[in-house]
Amino acid sequence: MTPFGGNSLQARDVASFIHPYTNMVAHEAQGPLVMTRGEGVFVIDDDGKRYLEAMGGLWCASLGFSERRLAEAAYQQMLKLPFYHTFAHKSTDVSIELAEQLLAMAPVPMSKVFFVNSGSEANDTVVKFVWYYNNALGRPAKKKIISRIKGYHGVTVASASLTGLPNNHRDFDLPIANILHTDCPHWYRFGHPGESEEDFATRMAESLEALIQRERPDTIAAFIAEPVQGAGGVIVPPATYWAKIQPILKKYDILLIADEVICGFGRTGNPWGSTTVGMEPDILSCAKALSAAYAPIGAVMVSERVYQVARDNSGKIGTFGHGYTYSGHPMSCAVALETLKIYRERDTFGHAAAMAPIMQATLRAYLDHPLVGEVRGVGLVAAVELVADKATHQSFDAKLGVGPYLMKCGHQHGIVVRAMGDAIAFCPPLIISEEEIQEMGQRFGLALADTYQWLKDQGHV
Ligand SMILES: Cc1ncc(COP(=O)(O)O)c(C=O)c1O
């Protein structure tokens, strides 16, 4: 029996559904918030209540929730060629066109594109590519991949291993072998007292080099990183971080992989996050805003050097034995092509870059609030971190669930944000207007005030 009315959507959900990233016990008591429609930056629930979707769903709905051109692109492709694959020398017109367009817009010269259906599949593909590459080069020991604490790279077995968050490993017997995690470049949280941001960046680089030395450089194959860490808390690295990290990777012949699954396609104020932070990757993974999230598709781009090695090896052993039934799915490719066309025609990235300072300032206005320790972000991605003590940066006891409480207050006030612990994330559709940013700030302010009152009532502040 559920606490929900008879045959309601809530009761049917609880009776039938295992949700991703959800406490199943809590879900049985609480039930789902069921969305049934979308309109611009708003989603509308089964009661007709409107929510400003300040997370673009899951950092992805870049064109909002009602772009008819994408629906039309999907429909027309479904009529023309609903499915064909790309295995064993087969191809489609739309997948070829999309590969060309991605290469033309890549942040650094890239040679070839491999299509996948999600960010996790992209990063699993990257792991296999890196291993294949080093086997091909006759370096069977050079297999370890370094990612970062609080990095997020997905949930499949290899990509979850890359992810540097405890909940993605716990009770799943992860990470697998050959995955290492180095420091998270979050100065506010991990800087030593009195340490400048520049010195902190130097320490991050020294720590990485020490790890490489400890493990032996001839065992380290690659370093994977999001330009701006997303699900780990929206962490923008110090300005000189990549200038210090990249020479170390070059010195030890370690490939750099940019996970652009969130940052790609205008999110950080440039077409790619790599440009924003100064990364020059050998391999790049992307997904989400590639299709404005209207169809599942992702892509891995590889440099000429990486491609040539894989190419020669596939010639030698007979195949590159990897691929998904839906790699380059025509409907997803058609939606992605229309998405890229809309980005160009409407200068969506330019609009996002113009809105960025407004959103960052709107959120930074809350820095004076007694609960707000840090407001961080770049472009149209940001986080507001709630703390128990602003002077010492002391966090609240995680058991209090301050961030999740604020998220629920947000629902009451008609805004969807995401709590990553006590860091509240914002990643609205790139089409958000100035007025909608103000509205987002106001609704967040109401949720913050409720949260403060709740903590006060319990004597926590
Ligand atoms: C940076 C990054 N990489 C990979 C992924 C995994 O993508 P997916 O959920 O499509 O598998 C995500 C998802 O949020 C992400 O943020």
Side-chain angles (χ1 to χ4, degrees), residues 52 362-363 366 413 415 435-449:
L52 197 158
T362 299
L363 296 175
Y366 288 103
H413 294 293
I415 180 172
E435 296 71 38
E436 287 162 343
I437 290 173
Q438 309 301 356
E439 191 175 338
M440 184 183 92
Q442 280 157 13
R443 292 180 188 218
F444 166 68
L446 295 171
L448 183 63

Side-chain angles (χ1 to χ4, degrees), residues 58-59 117-121 123 152-155 226 230-231 259-262 287-288:
L58 291 171
W59 326 79
N117 305 290
S118 68
S120 298
E121 282 185 8
N123 290 326
Y152 190 82
H153 302 291
V155 295
E226 301 153 82
D259 181 342
E260 293 265 11
V261 168
I262 287 179
K288 294 194 191 274

